Amino acid sequence: MKLNDEQREFQSLARLVSERQLAPLAPLADVEDGFDRDAWEVLREHDFVGLAIDEEHGGLGRGVVTGSLIIEELARNHASVALCFLVPYIFAAALADSDDLAARYLPKLASGEALGAFLLTEPGSGSDAASITTRAELNGDSYVVNGTKHFITNGDVADLGLLYARTGGPGGSGISAFVLEMDTPGVTIGRHEQKMGLRGCSLVEVRFENARVPVINLIGQEGTGLRVALTGLDFARVLVASLAVGLAQGALDMALEYAKGREQFGRPVTSNQGLQWLIVDQQMAIAASRELALEAARKVEEHEPDALQYASMAKAFCTDMCMQVTTNAVQIFGGYGYLRDYGVERMMRDAKILQIFEGTNQIQRIAVARSIMGRE
Ligand SMILES: Cc1cc2nc3c(=O)[nH]c(=O)nc-3n(C[C@H](O)[C@H](O)[C@H](O)COP(=O)(O)OP(=O)(O)OC[C@H]3O[C@@H](n4cnc5c(N)ncnc54)[C@H](O)[C@@H]3O)c2cc1C
């Protein structure tokens, strides 16, 4: 995709910040396994956290194409903080038609003063999001919420949440969306999960026991919650696609650098055509994925009719590519790649979740099938 001057400037800045400030933080975050606040502060320092939010609410108001370029650069060196970067996009999309909520909450997210979380998944409801059981019962001027959310990224450190709960009967039309202040009485943090990768983010259970959420925090109308969730997820899917491109490029660059200096049989291992072709195949896959991710971002930004199909295609294609490329990057390193010392195994572990969250890649394929073949 041809970039304009401003997009190239954002891209260069993000690359510099990623190399100089985020790369040194990533190994420590992987050991400590929790929200990497230092890396988040780096994003705040460079105004990246407010990129998604419009100027009226204190942000920079840049679209998802610019966001995709930036997240790719961040993910080359620190996939966990790149994931945090996408949350304001989800909030901005969810509150696009809610002037009052946008005015109350977006400025805090734009400045980075508040951190956001997305609370949809439950122990019994993952891919089948329409089956959530957390209930929000209208009582006076608030909804009383009871239930349990799990697998909530940064739920323990977030100030604001996008909460999905059932206000009506079964199925998607019974679900509503709310802005939740995480310090609401009755909201507690449960189990902290131990993860394979993305260990610069935390992952927790969030419990609701008679937590009162004001009626004015309902987004849109009762029953429109799943639509709000899906709008946010389209942005998320496109951005995860670019995150995957960046993570893959970061791993391949490291592997190439290493391989150029590694000698076996009296010559650099890169002089073997077998290894050259392995490297070239990875670079070709990354280059093709980058174009698909940016094209999907452009379609989402310009509200093109097939934007959702492209968001799903990009998410599945780019994250599958990332898993393949990061695994092959470990292979190019040989045994050293299997050690913690070089960081490439961390990138392989980080890659795996990209195929699972924001809708698994099986669910993306269902969405694409419906888009091109219609519903059965
Ligand atoms: C690290 C991490 C971070 C996360 N962050 C968040 C977060 O911040 N907020 C949030 O709400 N959630 C979050 N999640 C949850 C994540 O979105 C879910 O794990 C994901 O949607 C899959 O749900 P599940 O784990 O229940 O798997 P299931 O839905 O139980 O799926 C199990 C398997 O069955 C497959 N499958 C299911 N249905 C079908 C079908 N119809 N056809 C074909 N295959 C199918 C799936 O693809 C998968 O392979 C996170 C999860 C993890 C691990």
Side-chain angles (χ1 to χ4, degrees):
M1 174 183 282
K2 192 164 162 34
L3 306 180
N4 63 35
D5 289 347
E6 187 197 73
Q7 287 168 335
R8 268 197 297 273
E9 276 170 33
F10 271 118
Q11 188 182 42
S12 308
L13 175 64
R15 186 166 300 178
L16 205 67
V17 168
S18 182
E19 280 169 8
R20 297 211 179 144
Q21 293 181 269
L22 297 178
L25 297 174
L28 189 62
D30 185 48
V31 173
E32 293 192 339
D33 194 9
F35 174 58
D36 186 351
R37 194 165 290 280
D38 290 342
W40 176 247
E41 290 302 326
V42 170
L43 299 199
R44 279 186 79 179
E45 182 190 331
H46 295 285
D47 282 342
F48 290 149
V49 295
L51 197 91
I53 293 167
D54 54 24
E55 288 171 283
E56 186 193 342
H57 297 113
L60 297 179
R62 296 304 192 276
V64 73
V65 172
T66 304
S68 296
L69 294 168
I70 291 179
I71 204 170
E72 179 186 331
E73 297 305 328
L74 304 179
R76 278 185 190 222
N77 293 295
H78 198 316
S80 297
V81 81
L83 181 64
C84 301
F85 169 82
L86 69 76
V87 176
Y89 274 93
I90 300 181
F91 271 79
L95 302 186
D97 299 322
S98 305
D99 292 347
D100 174 54
L101 290 172
R104 278 165 60 207
Y105 293 116
L106 290 184
K108 291 180 189 163
L109 289 162
S111 67
E113 176 194 337
L115 190 73
F118 182 79
L119 297 95
L120 178 62
T121 305
E122 299 179 359
S125 163
S127 299
D128 183 9
S131 69
I132 59 169
T133 58
T134 294
R135 281 213 72 89
E137 301 284 356
L138 185 60
N139 182 303
D141 59 1
S142 50
Y143 285 88
V144 179
V145 183
N146 282 286
T148 302
K149 297 287 173 184
H150 86 160
F151 291 171
I152 306 305
T153 299
N154 294 333
D156 56 334
V157 288
D159 308 281
L160 298 174
L162 278 178
L163 168 67
Y164 299 88
R166 190 166 296 286
T167 50
S173 60
I175 296 173
S176 300
F178 302 87
V179 177
L180 170 73
E181 297 189 7
M182 295 294 290
D183 61 0
T184 301
V187 178
T188 52
I189 303 304
R191 189 185 151 87
H192 285 245
E193 308 294 349
Q194 304 294 310
K195 306 194 300 309
M196 173 197 284
L198 278 194
R199 289 160 60 87
C201 297
S202 58
L203 192 71
V204 298
E205 184 181 64
V206 182
R207 298 188 188 132
F208 295 84
E209 252 180 279
N210 296 322
R212 297 191 85 92
V213 178
V215 170
I216 51 170
N217 280 28
L218 173 70
I219 303 172
Q221 311 294 318
E222 275 196 13
T224 60
L226 216 51
R227 205 168 68 220
V228 174
L230 293 177
T231 312
L233 279 180
D234 293 332
F235 282 88
R237 284 169 185 172
V238 161
L239 290 166
V240 165
S242 286
L243 192 163
V245 171
L247 179 56
Q249 188 72 67
L252 185 64
D253 289 352
M254 277 170 73
L256 181 57
E257 201 49 41
Y258 171 83
K260 280 193 213 156
R262 175 71 175 167
E263 290 197 1
Q264 287 295 284
F265 304 101
R267 55 192 182 137
V269 290
T270 45
S271 64
N272 296 297
Q273 197 177 53
L275 198 72
Q276 287 173 4
W277 286 8
L278 181 64
I279 292 167
V280 169
D281 285 347
Q282 307 320 300
Q283 190 55 61
M284 289 193 295
I286 294 171
S289 300
R290 180 177 290 122
E291 291 306 313
L292 177 60
L294 289 174
E295 178 64 355
R298 187 192 64 74
K299 283 175 181 281
V300 168
E301 190 167 307
E302 295 176 10
H303 308 290
E304 288 199 358
D306 54 357
L308 310 188
Q309 179 193 321
Y310 267 75
S312 287
M313 292 199 306
K315 195 275 180 181
F317 189 84
C318 298
T319 61
D320 285 349
M321 173 283 296
C322 183
M323 194 68 246
Q324 173 210 299
V325 170
T326 52
T327 305
N328 281 325
V330 172
Q331 187 71 21
I332 293 163
F333 264 91
Y336 293 95
Y338 202 69
L339 307 185
R340 295 250 161 151
D341 309 34
Y342 290 87
V344 72
E345 57 78 39
R346 164 171 51 79
M347 297 168 114
M348 187 180 103
R349 287 185 285 107
D350 285 351
K352 184 61 211 171
I353 188 56
L354 305 182
Q355 297 177 298
I356 296 172
F357 67 13
E358 312 296 358
T360 68
N361 285 1
Q362 285 76 30
I363 295 299
Q364 305 304 329
R365 286 175 167 85
I366 292 173
V368 176
R370 281 185 183 150
S371 172
I372 60 182
M373 292 173 231
R375 261 172 204 271
E376 296 252 313

